[in-house]
């Protein structure tokens, strides 16, 4: 249909969805559109009282989501998207805006207010088009629109309300219901776009792409006037285009929320987030004071716009960065092995010769290593009066993560990478040819037997220290990803040293957690428990693939499923499903791949170890869990090592 002629024009472009919603992801994926998912960090805290109409709030939130990702990617991801899509869905009834419920009581309040009434579902959509300039600036062009759908609920009994709420489905959905799932049973009729209620107005979106790419000179450097487009009177669209040789970008008429074009220079100063709505006067001032932001660019045969010399420079920098990546890793590993960061924490301001004496290494080698660490942002130099040589000290990054005694130290995991993963990846060519792990080829390294723990106690302890340090960095985000305050018991399956368990009881004082792991792990884990000694966390020795699982309200799987064969994965999930009663929760935490398996790189690079398991996307995990009777309630990308998913036993 409308989208088909556009897909070819998007080929080769980096299209990004600034949302972690599995429903929006599925809607767009079904069109054949290829895109990456980069969830927005924009905090949805806009003051609803500033908006004259509900749809304006949804549109502004969508804009801020899309712009945050568009601004962040050149800095954090080192790549500039061609298009960023942001969306926000709200439900309105009796003049109130209903977003996602915060708990069951909030869900009850929302659903009760909808019972027996017609309400409106608005989805605001923002499309940000990004253009890189040869001065390292990025120009943004913004198109926004909204769609409204009318929905009528049946009269809902108390029993029906609570049965639906206890299913867990309302918790991550605007208005507290999902029309495409169990929530469809509550609906009498729908007037308008059904997919808009699900979370994304696909038909309207396709029409906008058709207008942008097929019916206006939107990308032409010869653009001489601003363009206004409207789908219809009610669902109008604003497209902001910089006039040639003019300093004014003109918003859609009568729109108090029209946004100017944005110009951002790559660098640390452009990382600030926009978390507030400008007044109309502020926006008009910005519009009239803005400089020309659209520079002529060259269009290639495939429709992409670029400056040839800029592309070559950027691409070469990226290639060299990849080629030098292993050198940077080894520099970090070596500095960590010599405890350079611990030394400079205890004795800041040493010069290269003094550090060489302390770590018992050559002056030349030490100086070269220190300078490399400075270039990587791990150390910094400081000139001191009366000292002929520069002295070194830790950066904030090193102080937080690289000292062995830091609260969130990754020192043990870095050593694991050096001693275990580095030798393993040196045989990557063989691993790719054979499609199998190369652990046997590096068996001489005692740390290799991660799976069987068959080496010495010292090797087991080093491995557990590595897992402990990496888990500690992610523990708070995993523990606070979802609200578990209404549950009393949890079982952390394969919980190793209990890092997640101890973080959970810190957040939820009424919760008690059982950590289940192999006897050898439980025995050594006592060394990590001395600092806690809390009776709310208990350890149970057992094999989760063979032994009976402890009874619990919530089962927790952190970095477990990706390492299991399909057979073992289904054995474990079947055991958990059998142990669960309806309403029990399953908290899954893994690296969730993007749907098209184009990222994140940390998950795909980890897969190169060729373990017997598999890295998966959130949607893939949801499908597997559904086969075992679990419904995915919410997926959260934590912007940490691990993402999280909450499921409920149906």
């Amino acid at each position: 249909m409308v989208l088909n002629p556009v897909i070819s024009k998007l080929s080769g472009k980096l299209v990004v969805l600034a949302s972690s919603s599995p429903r929006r992801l599925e809607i767009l994926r079904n069109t054949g559109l290829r895109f990456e998912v980069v969830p927005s960090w924009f905090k949805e805290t806009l003051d609803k009282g500033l908006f004259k109409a509900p749809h304006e709030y949804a549109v502004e939130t969508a804009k801020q989501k899309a712009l945050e990702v568009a601004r962040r990617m050149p800095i954090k991801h080192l790549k500039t998207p061609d298009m960023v899509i942001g969306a926000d869905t709200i439900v309105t009834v009796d003049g109130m805006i209903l977003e996602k419920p915060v708990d069951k009581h909030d869900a009850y309040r929302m659903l009760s207010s909808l019972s027996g009434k017609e309400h409106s579902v608005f989805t605001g959509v923002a499309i940000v088009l990004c253009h890189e300039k040869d001065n390292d600036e990025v120009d943004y062009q913004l198109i926004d629109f909204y769609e409204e759908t009318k929905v009528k609920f049946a009269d809902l009994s108390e029993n029906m309300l609570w049965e639906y709420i206890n299913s867990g489905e309302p918790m991550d959905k605007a208005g507290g219901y999902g029309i495409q799932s169990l929530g469809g049973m509550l609906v009498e009729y729908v007037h308008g776009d059904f997919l808009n209620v699900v979370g994304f107005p696909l038909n309207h979106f396709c029409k906008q792409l058709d207008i942008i790419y097929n019916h206006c000179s939107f990308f032409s450097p010869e653009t001489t006037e601003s363009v206004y487009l409207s789908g219809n009177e009610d669902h109008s669209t604003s497209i902001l285009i910089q006039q040639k040789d003019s300093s004014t970008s003109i918003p859609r008429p009568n729109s108090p929320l029209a946004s100017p074009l944005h110009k951002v220079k790559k660098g640390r100063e452009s990382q600030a987030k926009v978390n507030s709505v400008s007044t109309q006067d502020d926006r008009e001032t910005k519009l009239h004071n803005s400089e020309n932001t659209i520079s002529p660019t060259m269009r290639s045969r495939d429709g992409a716009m670029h400056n040839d010399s800029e592309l070559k420079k950027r691409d070469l920098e990226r290639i060299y960065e990849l080629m030098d990546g292993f050198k940077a890793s080894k520099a970090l590993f070596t500095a960590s092995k010599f405890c350079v960061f611990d030394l400079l924490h205890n004795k800041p301001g040493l010069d290269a010769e003094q550090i060489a004496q302390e770590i018992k290494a050559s002056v030349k080698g030490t100086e070269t290593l220190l300078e490399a660490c400075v270039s990587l942002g791990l150390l910094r130099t400081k000139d001191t009066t009366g000292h002929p040589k520069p002295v070194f000290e830790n950066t904030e990054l090193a102080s937080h993560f690289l000292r062995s005694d830091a609260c969130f130290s990754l020192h043990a995991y870095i050593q694991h990478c050096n001693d275990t993963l580095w030798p393993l990846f040196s045989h990557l060519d063989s691993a790719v040819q054979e499609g199998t792990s190369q652990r046997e080829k590096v068996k001489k390294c005692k740390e290799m037997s991660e799976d069987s723990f068959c080496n010495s106690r010292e090797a087991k302890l080093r491995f557990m220290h590595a897992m402990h340090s990496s888990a500690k960095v992610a523990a708070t985000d995993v523990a606070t990803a979802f609200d578990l305050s209404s549950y009393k018991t949890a079982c952390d399956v394969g919980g190793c040293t209990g890092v997640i368990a101890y973080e959970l009881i810190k957040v939820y004082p009424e919760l008690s957690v059982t950590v289940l792991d192999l006897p050898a792990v439980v025995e050594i884990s006592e060394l990590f428990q001395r600092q806690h000694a809390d009776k709310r966390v208990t350890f149970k020795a057992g094999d989760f693939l063979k032994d009976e699982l402890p009874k619990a309200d919530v089962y927790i799987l952190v970095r477990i499923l990706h390492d299991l064969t399909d057979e073992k994965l289904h054995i474990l999930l079947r055991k958990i499903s059998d142990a669960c009663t309806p309403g029990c929760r399953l908290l899954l935490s893994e690296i969730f791949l993007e749907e098209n398996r184009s990222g994140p790189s940390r998950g795909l690079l980890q897969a190169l170890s060729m373990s017997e398991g598999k890295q998966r996307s959130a949607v893939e995990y949801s499908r597997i869990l559904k086969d075992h009777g679990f419904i995915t309630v919410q997926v959260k990308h934590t912007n940490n090592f691990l993402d999280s998913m909450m499921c409920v036993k149906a």
Side-chain angles (χ1 to χ4, degrees):
M1 104 155 219
V2 173
L3 188 60
N4 291 336
V6 178
I7 290 180
S8 61
K9 296 190 177 182
L10 292 176
S11 177
K13 296 182 183 296
L14 177 55
V15 179
V16 173
L17 176 62
S19 171
S20 59
S21 165
R23 292 163 294 280
R24 290 190 186 114
L25 191 149
E26 186 172 8
I27 290 170
L28 284 173
R29 188 186 71 240
N30 288 340
T31 66
L33 182 66
R34 296 183 64 85
F35 58 93
E36 291 186 15
V37 175
V38 180
S40 178
W41 294 353
F42 173 68
K43 295 179 180 179
E44 298 179 35
T45 55
L46 299 178
D47 184 353
K48 299 180 181 67
L50 294 176
F51 300 88
K52 295 179 180 178
H55 73 267
E56 293 178 349
Y57 170 79
V59 168
E60 184 66 22
T61 303
K63 288 180 188 177
Q64 299 298 341
K65 288 179 178 178
L67 285 168
E68 188 281 321
V69 170
R71 291 165 174 157
R72 170 162 46 99
M73 286 190 67
I75 300 163
K76 294 288 188 179
H77 297 236
L78 300 180
K79 56 186 177 182
T80 300
D82 296 293
M83 174 188 291
V84 180
I85 304 164
D88 186 63
T89 300
I90 59 172
V91 172
T92 66
V93 63
D94 299 331
M96 296 186 301
I97 294 177
L98 307 181
E99 296 184 282
K100 298 172 184 177
V102 296
D103 53 32
K104 289 184 178 181
H105 295 292
D106 195 30
Y108 176 80
R109 176 187 64 82
M110 291 184 181
L111 293 169
S112 297
S113 69
L114 299 176
S115 178
K117 297 178 183 177
E118 183 181 84
H119 60 272
S120 292
V121 179
F122 292 100
T123 299
V125 178
I127 302 172
V128 177
L129 304 172
C130 310
H131 310 288
E132 284 192 301
K133 298 170 66 176
D134 56 9
N135 60 354
D136 264 357
E137 289 183 348
V138 181
D139 289 342
Y140 301 111
Q141 291 175 305
L142 177 64
I143 305 100
D144 65 74
F145 63 88
Y146 72 93
E147 185 72 31
E148 179 182 11
T149 304
K150 298 285 188 181
V151 180
K152 169 74 184 306
F153 263 30
D155 291 314
L156 307 177
S157 66
E158 288 288 304
N159 286 340
M160 182 178 290
L161 274 174
W162 282 109
E163 184 176 350
Y164 180 59
I165 291 169
N166 288 329
S167 74
E169 186 176 276
M171 301 316 297
D172 69 330
K173 298 172 179 66
Y177 72 95
I179 195 170
Q180 75 282 8
S181 301
L182 298 176
M185 297 186 292
L186 314 178
V187 174
E188 276 192 5
Y189 65 72
V190 177
H191 288 166
D193 186 343
F194 177 82
L195 289 180
N196 183 55
V197 186
V198 178
F200 195 79
L202 182 61
N203 180 266
H204 199 156
F205 174 72
C206 293
K207 288 176 180 176
Q208 295 308 318
L209 290 187
D210 183 49
I211 291 169
I212 293 168
Y213 286 100
N214 295 327
H215 298 290
C216 74
S217 56
F218 193 75
F219 288 107
S220 172
E222 275 69 45
T223 298
T224 58
E225 61 181 359
S226 293
V227 179
Y228 307 107
L229 302 175
S230 65
N232 54 51
E233 288 184 4
D234 294 326
H235 306 160
S236 55
T237 301
S238 66
I239 294 186
L240 306 178
I241 300 180
Q242 180 68 39
Q243 291 184 316
K244 187 179 181 183
D245 300 323
S246 169
S247 62
T248 304
S249 298
I250 305 176
R252 167 168 51 91
N254 304 320
S255 172
L257 297 171
S259 299
L261 289 170
H262 299 265
K263 178 166 65 176
V264 174
K265 189 173 182 67
K266 293 182 188 176
R268 304 183 70 87
E269 68 277 7
S270 63
Q271 296 182 30
K273 298 179 183 177
V274 179
N275 281 322
S276 61
V277 181
S278 302
T279 65
Q280 184 175 355
D281 290 341
D282 291 338
R283 290 178 180 278
E284 289 175 351
T285 300
K286 290 178 183 177
L287 290 174
H288 290 289
N289 290 339
S290 63
E291 300 174 358
N292 283 342
T293 59
I294 300 296
S295 59
T297 50
M298 298 179 62
R299 187 195 300 271
S300 62
R301 291 182 179 179
D302 64 359
M305 298 170 57
H306 59 81
N307 178 293
D308 193 49
S309 61
E310 179 189 355
L311 274 181
K312 286 181 179 177
K313 178 184 177 184
R314 189 178 70 235
D315 291 346
L316 278 173
E317 287 175 350
R318 179 61 179 148
I319 292 297
Y320 277 117
E321 184 180 280
L322 290 172
M323 290 192 298
D324 286 341
F326 78 97
K327 302 173 189 175
S329 296
K330 196 61 177 176
L332 169 62
F333 298 165
T334 303
S336 183
K337 186 172 184 177
F338 281 118
C339 297
V340 169
F341 308 108
D342 286 346
L343 173 62
L344 289 176
H345 174 67
N346 296 322
K347 299 180 179 180
L350 299 179
D351 63 28
E353 188 172 348
Q354 292 169 324
I355 294 172
Q357 290 176 347
E358 293 280 349
I359 66 174
K360 296 180 173 53
S362 68
V363 175
K364 177 182 177 181
T366 301
E367 185 174 37
T368 306
L369 176 63
L370 295 172
E371 289 172 346
C373 288
V374 169
S375 74
L376 295 172
L378 308 178
L379 299 177
R380 57 175 166 252
T381 57
K382 189 167 73 172
D383 292 324
T384 56
T385 306
H387 204 296
K389 301 176 183 178
V391 297
F392 296 85
E393 59 185 18
N394 288 334
T395 60
E396 190 174 339
L397 181 71
S399 296
H400 284 167
F401 298 110
L402 303 182
R403 286 168 32 214
S404 61
D405 61 346
C407 182
F408 296 106
S409 173
L410 286 169
H411 177 83
Y413 188 72
I414 290 169
Q415 289 309 109
H416 169 71
C417 291
N418 186 47
D419 299 336
T420 302
L421 299 183
W422 183 272
L424 190 64
F425 272 71
S426 67
H427 295 279
L428 183 57
D429 51 349
S430 298
V432 171
Q433 283 182 322
E434 300 166 14
T436 58
S437 171
Q438 299 299 296
R439 281 183 170 83
E440 291 303 318
K441 290 187 178 179
V442 290
K443 198 71 174 180
K444 60 183 178 181
C445 299
K446 293 182 180 180
E447 294 86 352
M448 279 298 97
S449 49
E450 297 175 10
D451 301 324
S452 62
F453 290 84
C454 61
N455 283 325
S456 68
R457 179 182 174 86
E458 182 185 353
K460 296 174 192 173
L461 187 58
R462 281 200 298 270
F463 175 74
M464 289 179 67
H465 268 296
M467 296 303 101
H468 181 85
S469 69
S470 62
K472 196 168 183 179
V473 172
T476 300
D477 285 320
V478 172
T480 59
F482 310 106
D483 182 10
L484 301 178
S485 59
S486 59
Y487 301 97
K488 301 298 182 185
T489 59
C491 176
D492 188 359
V493 181
C496 199
T497 62
V499 174
I500 302 296
Y502 285 112
E503 192 64 32
L504 282 167
I505 64 168
K506 188 190 304 181
V507 177
Y508 306 106
E510 302 300 318
L511 187 68
S512 62
V513 185
T514 301
V515 178
L516 175 68
D517 217 316
L518 295 170
V521 176
V522 172
E523 178 189 353
I524 298 178
S525 67
E526 294 177 359
L527 299 174
F528 298 85
Q529 299 165 33
R530 292 172 183 169
Q531 55 182 310
H532 300 288
D534 194 309
K535 293 182 179 179
R536 288 175 297 162
V537 175
T538 57
F539 286 77
K540 180 179 174 63
D543 185 336
F544 57 63
L545 294 175
K546 299 176 182 177
D547 299 328
E548 183 178 354
L549 301 181
K551 290 293 183 183
D553 301 325
V554 182
Y555 286 88
I556 301 163
L557 293 171
V558 179
R559 298 181 72 183
I560 299 296
L561 296 188
H562 78 276
D563 224 16
L564 301 179
T565 63
D566 286 351
E567 180 184 6
K568 291 177 181 178
L569 179 145
H570 288 294
I571 289 173
L572 175 57
L573 292 181
R574 191 157 48 242
K575 287 173 68 66
I576 294 175
S577 181
D578 291 344
C580 284
T581 56
C584 280
R585 297 295 173 119
L586 174 61
L587 172 58
L588 173 67
S589 199
E590 293 278 359
I591 300 172
F592 294 153
L593 299 185
E594 292 162 10
E595 262 304 278
N596 60 2
R597 300 186 72 84
S598 62
S601 59
R602 68 181 186 278
L604 295 166
L605 291 173
Q606 183 173 318
L608 287 173
S609 65
M610 302 294 174
S611 71
E612 60 183 17
K614 179 184 178 183
Q615 300 287 341
R616 297 176 174 87
S617 68
V619 172
E620 287 178 290
Y621 279 119
S622 293
R623 289 171 182 158
I624 292 171
L625 289 164
K626 187 176 181 181
D627 291 339
H628 291 276
F630 291 97
I631 298 172
T632 300
V633 175
Q634 189 175 357
V635 176
K636 181 167 281 190
H637 294 270
T638 65
N639 301 311
N640 202 314
F641 282 152
L642 302 173
D643 303 311
S644 294
M645 173 188 293
M646 178 60 76
C647 304
V648 62
K649 178 66 185 296

